């Protein structure tokens, strides 16, 4: 599929190491036929300037930035209405599983530790890119007393209060709301949301599920339950309206 058939994947690379920026630029260039283009920022301040002035689809973010850290920038992205649904891949030298799960918990959609294989990075970027393609034709809107969800805008209100979802949390909620009262297997959820092999895929998925349940609050979060067969189900008395 050529670039003209693809949605744009404007990718902001936030990395202070010039050599790594060159490597990322070459890798993104190799994906140009799939719609990827690159923008670069050497620190969080420059990244915020770019995000204020240009449209960006994805962010590749280093944790150990000078000045404002990658973690602080990620939190800022998720707190801002304009940037909260951006796909964010954190690429960092911190390779401890605890760091990875923490990054996912505060809003990263994916996490890749250095050093990495080039094919591994490309798989992560393609995974985020597939979500952009899927977004283009999804029109899911759900409304219950005390619960409103609009997929395209990532708008979620629970008991009248706006709730900020990461891109993966939004996609996960969309899966459950399209098929309420249906048990989704964990491998099925991973394949649909990430779609690549990972040694820690269950931990990543469970962190995302736990974060979504927490954000839904006690009442609505309690509807997201572990099924007897080991999968997960979002229980609703009646099915929500279709797309």
């Amino acid at each position: 599929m050529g670039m003209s058939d693809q949605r744009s994947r404007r990718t902001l690379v936030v990395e202070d190491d010039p050599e790594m920026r060159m490597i990322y630029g070459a890798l993104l260039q190799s994906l140009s036929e799939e719609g990827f283009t690159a923008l670069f920022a050497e620190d969080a301040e420059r990244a915020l300037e770019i995000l204020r002035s240009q449209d960006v689809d994805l962010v590749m973010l280093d944790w150990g930035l000078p000045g404002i850290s990658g973690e602080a920038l990620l939190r800022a992205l998720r707190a801002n209405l304009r940037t909260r649904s951006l796909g964010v891949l954190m690429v960092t030298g911190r390779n401890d599983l605890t760091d990875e799960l923490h990054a996912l918990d505060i809003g990263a959609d994916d996490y890749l530790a250095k050093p990495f294989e080039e094919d591994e990075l490309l798989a992560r970027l393609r995974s985020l890119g597939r979500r952009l393609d899927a977004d283009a034709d999804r029109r899911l809107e759900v409304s219950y007393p005390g619960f409103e969800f609009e997929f395209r805008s990532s708008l979620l209100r629970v008991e009248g209060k706006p709730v900020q979802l990461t891109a993966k949390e939004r996609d996960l909620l969309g899966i459950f709301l399209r098929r309420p009262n249906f048990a989704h297997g964990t491998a099925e959820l991973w394949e649909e949301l990430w779609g690549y092999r990972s040694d820690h895929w269950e931990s990543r998925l469970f962190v995302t599920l736990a974060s979504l349940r927490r954000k839904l609050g006690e009442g609505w979060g309690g509807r997201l339950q572990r099924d007897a067969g080991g999968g997960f189900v979002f229980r609703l008395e009646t099915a929500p309206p279709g797309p």
Side-chain angles (χ1 to χ4, degrees), residues 108-137:
D109 293 297
D110 211 339
Y111 186 99
L112 183 60
K114 305 172 186 175
F116 53 81
E117 297 292 333
E118 291 184 3
D119 287 347
E120 195 174 5
L121 175 61
L122 297 179
R124 307 299 176 91
L125 290 170
R126 286 184 171 116
S127 175
L128 288 175
R130 284 194 297 272
R131 181 180 62 80
L132 295 176
D133 291 337
D135 287 356
D137 58 4

Side-chain angles (χ1 to χ4, degrees), residues 151-183:
F151 186 92
R152 290 292 301 277
S153 65
S154 298
L155 173 66
L156 174 63
R157 292 184 183 276
V158 177
E159 306 304 337
K161 297 180 180 179
V163 178
Q164 298 173 358
L165 297 178
T166 69
K168 289 297 186 193
E169 291 165 353
R170 179 197 64 169
D171 292 352
L172 186 59
L173 182 57
I175 290 171
F176 287 122
L177 289 175
R178 285 186 177 84
R179 298 188 72 182
N181 307 312
F182 176 84

